[in-house]
Amino acid sequence: MRPIVEKADPGSSDSSAKVRGRGLTQETFYLRATRLARLSRGGDRHLTLVLEWEEGGHPFTIRDNFNQSLRASQRLLLEAGGRAHLLSASGRVLSQPATPEARFVSAFAEGPVKAALADLPPLRALLTVTSGAARCGRLALVDGGGKTRVSANLRELCPIDGDSIVLVTVGELRGYGGALRDLLSRLHACDAMPLAAGNLYRVMHPASMSYTARPSVEVRREDTAFDAANALIGAHLPIVRANEPGIVADIDTEFLHDYRIALRKIRSVLSLFKGVYAPEQTVALKARFAALMAPTGPLRDDDVYLLERRSFYAMVPDTMHGGLDRMFERVGQRRLAAWAGLADRLRGKGYIREIEALMDLFSRRKTLLPGPNADRMSQDLASELIRKRYRRIRRIAAGLTAGMPDDEVHALRVECKKLRYLIEFFGPMFQQDVLHDILKSLKKLQDSLGSFNDCVVQQAGLLAFLDDLGDEPRRLEIAQSIGALVTVLHQRQIVEHEKIVQAFAHFSGDGMRQAFRRLFHDGKDI
Amino acid sequence: MQIIACYSNKGGVGKTATAVNLAYAFAASGRRTLLCDLDPQGASGFYFRVKPSGKLTEARFFGDTDRVAKSIRGSDYDNLDILPANMAFRDFDIFLSRMKDGRSQLKKVLKSVKSDYDVALLDCPPNISMLSENVFRAADAVVVPLIPTTLSQRTFEQLQTFFRENNLQEKKIHAFFSMVQGVKNLHHDVIAEMTQAWPERFMQSQIPFASEIERMGLTRAPVLATSWQGPASQAYQALSDELDRRMNE
């Protein structure tokens, strides 16, 4: 068996994939380190398993975002030995110098890994999934003449806490398909899993939790409206809780964003499913969830400003950038204060007591009081609510003109959002292809409404910011920049208004009306 | 795909050792490399522990390009595959003489695997024959090892004459001195004389006479893989780098 020779860096760090360009199998598996020894058992007796480990180890870190986007896309981001390696289920391994201090992909050094990670949500920070000590090795099946028939690169990962695993990247050698099949069957016998199986984190840490901001709640047609509401709220409360640590640690803006969306959905269930809970309990619950939501507003507003920073700079000439610098400096300070306040609140006893009480209420459900509509079938209620909402939207849309006041457009936006939530809550009960068309049209409309609303809110926010400047020494400079921004935003608002009119024409047209009729009204007119 | 032929019209000059180590060096630099063992006497495949291909007769070699691709075997090294020798290659000349357009056949075979490789290295049999001519025509470079003796001068002249008579480009020839023994005056004199006579044809890199190259028969691996710090390895690496530069000029 030849020694492990450190391969010369061929410039492109993707050489292995290039070699495999002619259809040779290359695939990455993982198995518990304790099972590796079993690989030598069984298999073709003419082939001997040779296992070699390099001397010395090195620290490793597995990184992924909170959504576990990499795991979901069957990839593994491993930082080890000063390099970042991106392993994919196809066995392709990309690598480049690591940037351990980079929290976002955008801060990575340029290279093939950064390029391949361009599909990750840009606003989500990369977190440490696990870290520990790693060592590299190689295994081969060798014939009687000492020729390697198939080989695999090994990487043993021993996390600080958790179970050790071995990553096995198998590479077929041209002309030796039989040996490849032999190795694959040996791996199978050792319970090795392909990277695509997606539970590597859990194998290393059985307590590892996966997160999704959109829980799938199976509401069945025959479920009562009361059960459906309980299930929906019960599924979104853990999302609220899951995001608390990320907000407190200020990891990225999406923790607060997801936290707010989960709360908003809960509040939608309470306000849209009328009569499902007893009236006095509905009022009380609405107030309790509104109280959770209210303190999050200022931080989210500032987050949005800061996320829009680059586009604000692009809107005005360079000469006005000085004013923007100062403005964003102040927004940054304000944001820090808003975050500190919210973090304190989320850590506080009062908040914890309240959220735990709500969790308890919706998990035990004993003290939830059914209202007059509690026993209605979900499908009936859903169809009625959706029909009602669609009718209301069409009514407003009929009066949509260029001169419509901003607050009416805002009201439309709210109606559309409610409709969207309703369709999402009850979607699985209805015919999927028609539903897909409706959602597509609705989403287009909402995008325009959202852009319009952003323009309006940002103008108002900027003007309020101006009022709030007090004795700021560079007040004039900031005011000029804000003036320019407001002008551009106002022009954009006019353009977006036009788009809304067009999107509404489609959404309230005959085609959509028929789709709603078929899906939510047994073909009868809406 | 670049095609590099390792050729000598005289045996025992270190031709196969050169082909094996050049192939390894190209592969180690990240280029996908195919080493074709066209010399039934040679041992390129032996050095990589790849068994001769029983299935590949000469008729199939030229007639069934798909079968050629299937006969290729992965070596133990990244980016390096071997097309093992077939004993029937010794009858190539007879076979080729019967074929009308034999000269373009080799290129056709190589074309079938073209997209799989960046470099194809051909370890050629040691005589000027139809196959050799075929190789010279297909190759981008013909690497010629020569032991610095008076006899080599004659064989090198024969090779150049063959190129001229067959309208082949002489600039494809990249000769170098092999099995050089520093203690021999004769070697010094021949090297000086030949380099002066054909300055453009000779590379500066030389391969010394080294026991580690002889030991390749025992280790069955390129010296670059087993003792990369040794003088022979360094010489092969330098030769590979120089050839690379000359081909890209």
Side-chain angles (χ1 to χ4, degrees):
Chain A
M1 179 71 190
R2 71 181 175 101
I4 297 168
V5 180
E6 189 64 34
K7 201 171 54 168
D9 195 339
S12 159
S13 307
D14 194 11
S15 57
S16 57
K18 200 175 164 193
V19 175
R20 305 294 147 197
R22 58 194 172 218
L24 295 183
T25 299
Q26 191 170 4
E27 192 172 3
T28 296
F29 297 85
Y30 54 89
L31 72 161
R32 291 186 190 280
T34 48
R35 300 211 176 139
L36 192 66
R38 287 199 218 163
L39 274 180
S40 55
R41 294 185 208 158
D44 184 343
R45 60 188 172 83
H46 300 293
L47 297 176
T48 310
L49 184 105
V50 181
L51 196 61
E52 290 177 333
W53 292 102
E54 281 176 7
E55 279 184 25
H58 50 267
F60 83 90
T61 304
I62 292 175
R63 300 181 77 188
D64 204 339
N65 60 27
F66 192 60
N67 297 350
Q68 300 189 348
S69 304
L70 285 164
R71 185 185 64 79
S73 58
Q74 305 178 347
R75 291 177 290 177
L76 181 71
L77 178 59
L78 180 74
E79 287 181 357
R83 293 187 68 81
H85 307 280
L86 184 66
L87 286 74
S88 59
S90 68
R92 198 167 81 140
V93 181
L94 300 173
S95 80
Q96 69 167 66
T99 325
E101 69 284 359
R103 292 174 55 222
F104 295 90
V105 174
S106 57
F108 273 38
E110 293 303 322
V113 174
K114 181 180 183 176
L117 294 178
D119 60 339
L120 290 189
L123 302 181
R124 291 247 75 151
L126 286 169
L127 310 166
T128 295
V129 175
T130 187
S131 62
R135 63 171 177 156
C136 295
R138 193 176 169 102
L139 73 75
L141 290 178
V142 179
D143 65 17
K147 172 78 182 78
T148 297
R149 294 284 181 106
V150 65
S151 66
N153 287 321
L154 307 177
R155 203 182 281 269
E156 185 181 44
L157 306 177
C158 308
I160 294 166
D161 55 344
D163 296 329
S164 297
I165 59 113
V166 180
L167 292 170
V168 183
T169 301
V170 176
E172 181 180 2
L173 281 183
R174 192 163 186 165
Y176 298 111
L180 171 77
R181 286 188 290 279
D182 185 45
L183 179 57
L184 293 179
S185 78
R186 288 177 194 231
L187 282 165
H188 184 69
C190 294
D191 298 327
M193 307 280 274
L195 192 60
N199 72 337
L200 174 65
Y201 302 165
R202 198 162 289 170
V203 171
M204 296 177 88
H205 287 282
S208 166
M209 298 292 284
S210 57
Y211 165 83
T212 171
R214 291 167 176 260
S216 66
V217 184
E218 202 188 331
V219 177
R220 287 163 305 188
R221 291 160 187 259
E222 63 277 16
D223 287 344
T224 64
F226 184 69
D227 286 340
N230 290 341
L232 286 165
I233 296 175
H236 284 90
L237 272 170
I239 310 293
V240 172
R241 296 238 65 188
N243 283 291
E244 291 163 1
I247 300 170
V248 171
D250 204 12
I251 291 169
D252 65 43
T253 55
E254 300 312 280
F255 287 95
L256 179 64
H257 188 47
D258 285 2
Y259 177 92
R260 281 166 53 86
I261 288 177
L263 278 181
R264 196 177 294 136
K265 286 191 174 172
I266 291 170
R267 294 174 70 200
S268 299
V269 173
L270 291 171
S271 64
L272 294 173
F273 292 26
K274 285 194 173 45
V276 168
Y277 298 112
E280 56 282 11
Q281 191 169 42
T282 307
V283 172
L285 283 172
K286 276 184 180 177
R288 288 171 77 180
F289 282 105
L292 293 182
M293 187 73 142
T296 64
L299 178 57
R300 179 61 193 166
D301 288 348
D302 286 342
D303 278 345
V304 172
Y305 269 117
L306 292 166
L307 291 173
E308 288 291 321
R309 187 178 184 137
R310 195 173 289 176
S311 74
F312 277 6
Y313 276 84
M315 276 182 216
V316 297
D318 292 358
T319 47
M320 302 222 168
H321 287 184
L324 291 188
D325 290 343
R326 184 72 197 114
M327 182 184 101
F328 278 112
E329 204 177 300
R330 283 183 71 112
V331 174
Q333 290 160 358
R334 193 173 70 182
R335 183 205 173 272
L336 205 58
W339 163 74
L342 184 61
D344 273 351
R345 184 184 150 74
L346 295 186
R347 278 191 296 246
K349 279 183 190 160
Y351 171 80
I352 292 168
R353 220 173 14 241
E354 170 66 350
I355 193 79
E356 282 179 352
L358 287 166
M359 288 280 285
D360 192 50
L361 182 65
F362 283 94
S363 59
R364 295 213 275 178
R365 302 181 186 179
K366 279 183 183 167
T367 47
L368 287 170
L369 306 170
N373 281 331
D375 290 333
R376 285 191 61 181
M377 281 212 337
S378 290
Q379 195 182 13
D380 280 356
L381 181 69
S383 298
E384 188 188 308
L385 293 174
I386 291 170
R387 282 198 313 265
K388 216 163 94 182
R389 201 59 54 187
Y390 182 58
R391 262 202 307 267
R392 192 176 297 178
I393 289 172
R394 281 184 53 231
R395 218 169 26 240
I396 305 174
L400 193 68
T401 59
M404 188 181 224
D406 293 349
D407 54 352
E408 280 189 41
V409 180
H410 177 70
L412 260 181
R413 182 169 163 265
V414 172
E415 290 300 328
C416 286
K417 199 174 261 186
K418 286 177 178 171
L419 179 64
R420 173 86 173 267
Y421 286 159
L422 280 171
I423 293 177
E424 281 178 0
F425 291 153
F426 296 113
M429 292 192 293
F430 298 98
Q431 196 187 326
Q432 292 303 300
D433 52 344
V434 184
L435 197 73
H436 176 79
D437 291 345
I438 290 177
L439 274 173
K440 200 173 149 192
S441 179
L442 179 58
K443 192 173 178 305
K444 200 173 169 192
L445 179 58
Q446 283 189 295
D447 287 346
S448 290
L449 283 164
S451 304
F452 178 88
N453 188 60
D454 287 348
C455 291
V456 175
V457 171
Q458 282 167 0
Q459 287 173 70
L462 286 167
L463 293 172
F465 184 84
L466 201 56
D467 288 343
D468 210 24
L469 278 177
D471 54 356
E472 156 70 42
R474 292 166 70 182
R475 196 171 194 281
L476 184 64
E477 196 183 356
I478 296 176
Q480 281 174 337
S481 300
I482 287 182
L485 274 178
V486 168
T487 309
V488 177
L489 286 167
H490 184 68
Q491 282 162 355
R492 270 193 196 181
Q493 182 188 332
I494 295 167
V495 174
E496 291 300 335
H497 194 283
E498 192 50 43
K499 284 189 193 164
I500 291 169
V501 174
Q502 286 168 9
F504 256 121
H506 181 255
F507 191 65
S508 55
D510 285 348
M512 261 316 123
R513 223 167 94 191
Q514 274 176 17
F516 270 87
R517 214 184 282 165
R518 265 174 61 199
L519 223 51
F520 307 115
H521 207 205
D522 296 331
K524 286 182 263 175
D525 202 7
I526 289 183
Chain B
M1 181 172 72
Q2 284 185 318
I3 299 171
I4 301 168
C6 244
Y7 176 80
S8 168
N9 41 351
K10 187 177 173 305
V13 298
K15 172 182 61 73
T16 295
T18 303
V20 162
N21 282 288
L22 280 182
Y24 179 89
F26 281 121
S29 75
R31 278 169 283 187
R32 301 166 302 167
T33 305
L34 176 67
L35 174 60
C36 302
D37 193 355
L38 299 181
D39 180 3
Q41 307 292 321
S44 284
F46 171 82
Y47 286 130
F48 287 105
R49 299 169 192 258
V50 174
K51 289 176 186 162
S53 170
K55 293 175 195 161
L56 202 64
T57 66
E58 84 283 0
R60 281 170 175 165
F61 186 86
F62 288 108
D64 186 352
T65 50
D66 193 41
R67 204 176 281 268
V68 173
K70 281 185 181 152
S71 298
I72 295 172
R73 295 283 176 270
S75 77
D76 288 12
Y77 308 100
D78 287 337
N79 296 333
L80 180 54
D81 290 351
I82 317 291
L83 177 63
N86 181 284
M87 293 310 284
F89 281 175
R90 76 177 67 151
D91 300 325
F92 261 170
D93 279 1
I94 305 162
F95 171 72
L96 289 168
S97 64
R98 289 194 202 124
M99 292 187 68
K100 274 188 176 172
D101 188 21
R103 285 187 298 196
S104 66
Q105 294 296 320
L106 179 69
K107 206 152 189 172
K108 200 181 279 180
V109 168
L110 290 173
K111 207 174 168 184
S112 69
V113 292
K114 194 177 161 188
S115 61
D116 293 346
Y117 300 100
D118 301 315
V119 180
L121 251 144
L122 314 177
D123 185 13
C124 307
N127 51 359
I128 292 183
S129 62
M130 282 291 282
L131 177 63
S132 303
E133 191 197 329
N134 227 326
V135 167
F136 298 153
R137 214 166 282 287
D140 298 296
V142 180
V143 176
V144 183
L146 290 162
I147 302 176
T149 60
T150 38
L151 190 63
S152 298
Q153 204 154 344
R154 229 184 102 237
T155 55
F156 190 58
E157 280 167 6
Q158 283 173 349
L159 178 66
Q160 290 187 97
T161 308
F162 183 84
F163 263 68
R164 274 195 296 278
E165 286 174 353
N166 288 281
N167 205 19
L168 294 158
Q169 289 178 303
E170 279 179 81
K171 66 173 187 184
K172 281 184 182 179
I173 298 174
H174 301 270
F176 69 95
F177 293 103
S178 173
M179 301 169 86
V180 177
Q181 289 173 276
V183 290
K184 288 192 178 173
N185 285 336
L186 174 70
H187 279 200
H188 279 293
D189 296 345
V190 172
I191 290 170
E193 205 177 311
M194 288 182 77
T195 314
Q196 203 176 9
W198 299 289
E200 289 177 351
R201 296 284 75 85
F202 277 87
M203 292 194 272
Q204 285 180 351
S205 307
Q206 298 175 359
I207 304 299
F209 184 88
S211 56
E212 54 189 305
I213 300 176
E214 288 181 318
R215 274 202 302 274
M216 274 174 61
L218 294 173
T219 58
R220 295 184 73 180
V223 289
L224 272 167
T226 52
S227 55
W228 59 275
Q229 283 172 312
S233 289
Q234 307 251 332
Y236 279 124
Q237 189 60 54
L239 183 74
S240 151
D241 294 343
E242 188 180 357
L243 177 63
D244 215 11
R245 280 197 302 276
R246 287 170 69 103
M247 287 180 72
N248 290 321
E249 267 172 13

